[in-house]
Amino acid sequence: MMRSLNTSAAGGGGGGGGGGGHEQEEEEPSSATDLLHYQQQPSHSSTPASAIHMRQLLISCAELVSHSDFSAADRLISILSANSSPYGDSTERLVYQFIRALSLRLNRHHHASATAGFMMNLITTTTSSVPAAVNYDSSSSSALQTCYLSLNQITPFIRFSHLTANQAILEAIQVGQHQSIHILDFDIMHGVQWPPLMQALAERYSNNTLGHPPPMLRITGTGHDLDILHRTGDRLLMFAQSLGLRFQFHPLLLLNDDPTSIALYLSSSLSLLPDEALAVNCVLYLHRLVKDDSRDLRLFLHKIKALNPTVVTIAEREANHNQPVFMRRLVEALDHYTAIFESLEATLPPNSKERLAVEQIWFGREIMDIVGAEGENRRERHEKLETWEVMLRSSGFANVPLSPFALSQAKLLLRLHYPSEGYQLQILNNSFFLGWQNRALFSVSSWH
């Protein structure tokens, strides 16, 4: 009998209703020049029409920055800043984050072509246009770790990815076939993905009629902070012991996200036992290895394939934030994060500290990278599943269909903890997509 994963093991989510479609009631400005004459409105609650105006203003501002029209861009940033707030509705909060990113790009862009004196004046002007940020240190590792836990609790995206990946791992490893299960988890963070899988393993073997003992569970978790890795391992060990599972944790410190270095390091640092089923877990990880050239990432995938894993689980953003053309990347990011911010507004109260932290530290950091950075400095290079499919198949992997049982588990998660009609679950090409309204935001797939 197939055992279900515990959908309530990692905290709950908020309720609320989803929004509908938007109608444009006013004529949009026809050019960037016209947009500069946009009349500032009181910043209370954005109507559909004003949200459309804000979107067009942001796009026009980005065009001015990309065309090096710095003075016009700075004036438009002032207008947008007056209509943004980290504490407002979803549109005002989104505009606030994009203005911060555009201001960063404007300053960096202008630095390459302006005199030092004019540059200092522009930085002062632009910075004063943007509202003061909430007092969060977005570069702090501890702040990101704490924010990750909030993201896992208040939105379904991480838990959906974990739950679906865990179910794929359980279904790939049959009862009694292996003495040990080894999970290689890239960027394990706090390890919140694994307690539900441990519970499912314990229940599966306690109810089997053949008397097979549970296999040993070994997890190799990678990360950039050895202290966090050790603490994660200690928590997982205590939980495994409470279930009577044999468990080992192996921290693997990766000092950077260079795919070539990781691929070479894996061969010498990963210890595999005979008769051990290997599962490789990449939840929101592969996009960090993407560079302007995909050869290094393909080498990494070939190394993973050479390990002969029983299953490889992949969860990624369903967005193309790796566009080399800045304006295409900005519009894609604007649509993606509009849906995310709308989902947060529909399911959480305006004064939620967790919502504020997630918007500013987690998603704000991503927006700053996608919009504000360029070239090799960009790290948040999200790709859509169709791109990952091409890379994985060319590296020798075959897609494993996610089961109807995994789908029922994902539906149960949404119904119990995130009961908003706005969240939409879709199946395409044997993979699952979770989105808001009609826009897919995250994908999960399984490979062999």
Side-chain angles (χ1 to χ4, degrees):
M1 177 180 177
M2 190 169 296
R3 304 303 304 170
S4 66
L5 288 164
N6 185 352
T7 60
S8 60
H22 297 325
E23 287 190 13
Q24 185 172 345
E25 299 173 356
E26 301 176 25
E27 184 178 348
E28 291 187 17
S30 58
S31 68
T33 304
D34 293 337
L35 284 165
L36 286 174
H37 298 289
Y38 175 83
Q39 296 298 311
Q40 299 181 24
Q41 300 295 331
S43 183
H44 296 304
S45 177
S46 293
T47 64
S50 65
I52 293 171
H53 278 311
M54 288 296 104
R55 182 182 187 278
Q56 187 59 47
L57 282 168
L58 281 170
I59 293 173
S60 296
C61 183
E63 288 174 340
L64 292 171
V65 173
S66 65
H67 294 151
S68 300
D69 193 343
F70 303 120
S71 59
D74 190 46
R75 291 198 301 275
L76 194 45
I77 283 176
S78 296
I79 294 173
L80 284 161
S81 298
N83 288 272
S84 73
S85 168
Y87 308 102
D89 62 21
S90 64
T91 298
E92 293 166 335
R93 294 177 186 223
L94 183 78
V95 171
Y96 173 82
Q97 298 301 335
F98 271 82
I99 282 301
R100 290 179 65 205
L102 284 171
S103 297
L104 175 65
R105 186 178 183 88
L106 175 64
N107 293 340
R108 285 177 176 172
H109 220 69
H110 193 44
H111 188 272
S113 57
T115 63
F118 189 77
M119 177 59 194
M120 289 304 297
N121 179 62
L122 180 65
I123 291 176
T124 303
T125 304
T126 304
T127 304
S128 64
S129 301
V130 181
V134 175
N135 187 25
Y136 289 120
D137 180 7
S138 61
S139 63
S140 165
S141 175
S142 61
L144 285 174
Q145 293 282 335
T146 302
C147 192
Y148 177 81
L149 294 177
S150 296
L151 180 67
N152 180 63
Q153 183 178 23
I154 67 176
T155 74
F157 304 122
I158 302 295
R159 296 178 70 194
F160 158 75
S161 302
H162 288 170
L163 183 75
T164 307
N166 284 357
Q167 197 63 45
I169 293 171
L170 284 171
E171 292 172 7
I173 299 169
Q174 299 301 315
V175 173
Q177 285 191 350
H178 303 279
Q179 295 295 317
S180 176
I181 300 171
H182 193 151
I183 297 172
L184 172 57
D185 185 14
F186 283 99
D187 198 14
I188 193 170
M189 301 287 281
H190 290 278
V192 295
Q193 177 172 351
W194 304 120
L197 181 133
M198 291 179 181
Q199 287 179 318
L201 277 177
E203 291 175 11
R204 169 193 277 188
Y205 284 88
S206 67
N207 294 330
N208 81 82
T209 58
L210 300 177
H212 293 295
M216 174 182 286
L217 177 62
R218 304 172 70 221
I219 295 180
T220 296
T222 79
H224 299 302
D225 188 313
L226 193 58
D227 180 58
I228 291 174
L229 286 173
H230 282 306
R231 282 187 276 134
T232 295
D234 291 342
R235 284 193 302 270
L236 292 175
L237 176 60
M238 290 180 61
F239 190 80
Q241 288 174 339
S242 72
L243 297 172
L245 291 177
R246 293 175 296 154
F247 178 78
Q248 293 179 1
F249 181 80
H250 305 276
L252 186 58
L253 186 64
L254 299 179
L255 297 178
N256 58 56
D257 288 323
D258 176 59
T260 304
S261 301
I262 295 171
L264 296 175
Y265 187 46
L266 275 179
S267 302
S268 59
S269 57
L270 187 65
S271 171
L272 296 177
L273 300 177
D275 193 28
E276 182 171 63
L278 174 65
V280 178
N281 187 64
C282 300
V283 171
L284 306 182
Y285 179 74
L286 284 185
H287 70 271
R288 300 187 202 171
L289 307 184
V290 177
K291 307 297 180 185
D292 290 331
D293 190 324
S294 65
R295 285 179 297 180
D296 289 346
L297 177 57
R298 293 180 188 276
L299 172 63
F300 171 83
L301 292 174
H302 279 292
K303 286 290 185 181
I304 295 297
K305 180 62 179 174
L307 295 172
N308 194 28
T310 302
V311 62
V312 176
T313 48
I314 293 175
E316 280 292 340
R317 295 291 184 83
E318 185 61 11
N320 185 358
H321 296 151
N322 194 34
Q323 288 270 9
V325 178
F326 167 64
M327 286 305 302
R328 292 180 183 175
R329 192 167 75 242
L330 176 123
V331 172
E332 175 82 10
L334 190 54
D335 292 338
H336 181 81
Y337 288 101
T338 293
I340 288 180
F341 276 53
E342 286 178 354
S343 74
L344 292 170
E345 180 171 69
T347 56
L348 293 163
N351 60 351
S352 167
K353 293 181 180 180
E354 291 79 14
R355 173 188 171 188
L356 192 64
V358 163
E359 288 172 339
Q360 292 214 65
I361 298 178
W362 196 268
F363 295 126
R365 173 184 56 89
E366 292 179 350
I367 293 169
M368 289 287 278
D369 181 272
I370 295 166
V371 176
E374 199 55 79
E376 289 296 320
N377 293 322
R378 284 197 294 117
R379 295 183 70 247
E380 301 295 339
R381 295 172 176 259
H382 306 127
E383 295 274 13
K384 292 189 175 183
L385 180 61
E386 58 193 27
T387 301
W388 296 119
E389 285 179 327
V390 172
M391 288 192 186
L392 288 159
R393 293 187 194 281
S394 67
S395 300
F397 290 97
N399 182 241
V400 179
L402 296 168
S403 70
F405 190 78
L407 178 62
S408 68
Q409 290 289 98
K411 288 180 177 178
L412 182 64
L413 171 72
L414 294 177
R415 187 167 68 249
L416 290 180
H417 300 293
Y418 308 94
S420 170
E421 295 178 358
Y423 288 118
Q424 301 293 324
L425 193 59
Q426 296 178 316
I427 309 171
L428 184 64
N429 295 337
N430 299 320
S431 304
F432 292 174
F433 295 82
L434 178 61
W436 180 256
Q437 303 296 1
N438 296 318
R439 187 174 188 87
L441 298 173
F442 286 72
S443 69
V444 183
S445 58
S446 178
W447 300 82
H448 173 68

